[in-house]
Amino acid sequence: MAKKTKSRSAAQAAVKKRSGAKAVARSSARKAVKARTTPAKAAPKKPARPKQRIAISHHREEDFKADGLRVYAKYRDLGIAEASHGLAQAHVIRLQGPCDPNEVSKLHFHDVEFQMVYVLKGWVKTYMDGQGETLMKEGSAWTQPPKIKHMILDYSDDVELLEVILPAEFRTVELKA
């Protein structure tokens, strides 16, 4: 009797194997037919960006210009905006000392997709909505989410910042504190 049970189990296993293989073959055949009859969805095309080029910038004192967003700052453009066709902007900012809170401490935001600041030299005290006051020192870095309200509260006479912003052209809105 044990032999019969064994052979019956072996027979059942063999039947399952054969029917399982057939099911897989039928399933694959259905998928192939369905794939041929279903129209392919075209991926939305992104507008082609102009090809970026290499930008190299070496430190030269004469490259610091008082032609940027703030009158109390000098900016050294790093050539990223031109090289990236407006995708991003990067510059070194020197805040001119001594700090005059009446001039610099104005609540504002930038209509940007991304903004990152790194302190190259000196220190700067900032206020960011939701973060409060923070002292950033040489080696400190921070991001400012799009449209976050912020302001500079104070800075050292020798402060230099590296700022990276996307896109290169953006709007700044000053707010009433």
Side-chain angles (χ1 to χ4, degrees):
M1 188 120 161
K3 279 186 180 181
K4 224 176 188 179
T5 308
K6 251 187 184 180
S7 61
R8 205 179 279 160
S9 294
Q12 287 172 342
V15 169
K16 279 185 182 178
K17 273 187 185 177
R18 273 187 254 134
S19 63
K22 284 180 185 176
V24 169
R26 280 193 305 265
S27 176
S28 296
R30 281 189 200 121
K31 286 179 187 173
V33 169
K34 192 173 184 180
R36 280 182 277 170
T37 58
T38 306
K41 291 182 182 177
K45 288 187 178 182
K46 290 183 181 177
R49 283 199 166 277
K51 187 175 179 178
Q52 295 180 36
R53 65 171 181 74
I54 296 169
I56 297 173
S57 177
H58 298 286
H59 178 265
R60 296 179 336 149
E61 282 300 314
E62 60 268 23
D63 290 340
F64 282 92
K65 310 276 187 226
D67 61 356
L69 182 62
R70 305 282 176 221
V71 295
Y72 55 86
K74 287 189 175 180
Y75 300 81
R76 180 168 73 91
D77 181 55
L78 301 178
I80 306 301
E82 187 180 330
S84 68
H85 301 282
L87 176 66
Q89 175 189 129
H91 48 232
V92 176
I93 305 170
R94 274 188 187 158
L95 301 178
Q96 304 299 294
C99 176
D100 178 1
N102 292 325
E103 187 174 358
V104 304
S105 299
K106 296 183 179 170
L107 192 63
H108 64 282
F109 70 83
H110 307 291
D111 190 4
V112 297
E113 293 174 33
F114 175 82
Q115 183 176 13
M116 189 272 315
V117 184
Y118 180 86
V119 182
L120 297 167
K121 194 166 128 180
W123 58 266
V124 61
K125 188 176 189 181
T126 65
Y127 165 82
M128 287 182 276
D129 196 30
Q131 178 70 30
E133 293 181 14
T134 306
L135 179 65
M136 306 293 187
K137 301 178 278 187
E138 186 173 320
S140 297
W142 71 96
T143 58
Q144 293 181 180
K147 295 186 178 180
I148 189 169
K149 297 171 188 169
H150 65 282
M151 72 175 126
I152 292 175
L153 299 172
D154 198 6
Y155 56 82
S156 64
D157 291 351
D158 64 341
V159 70
E160 285 190 13
L161 310 168
L162 169 66
E163 184 176 53
V164 178
I165 303 170
L166 280 78
E169 296 292 324
F170 60 91
R171 183 174 64 104
T172 296
V173 177
E174 285 202 10
L175 306 164
K176 296 194 188 217

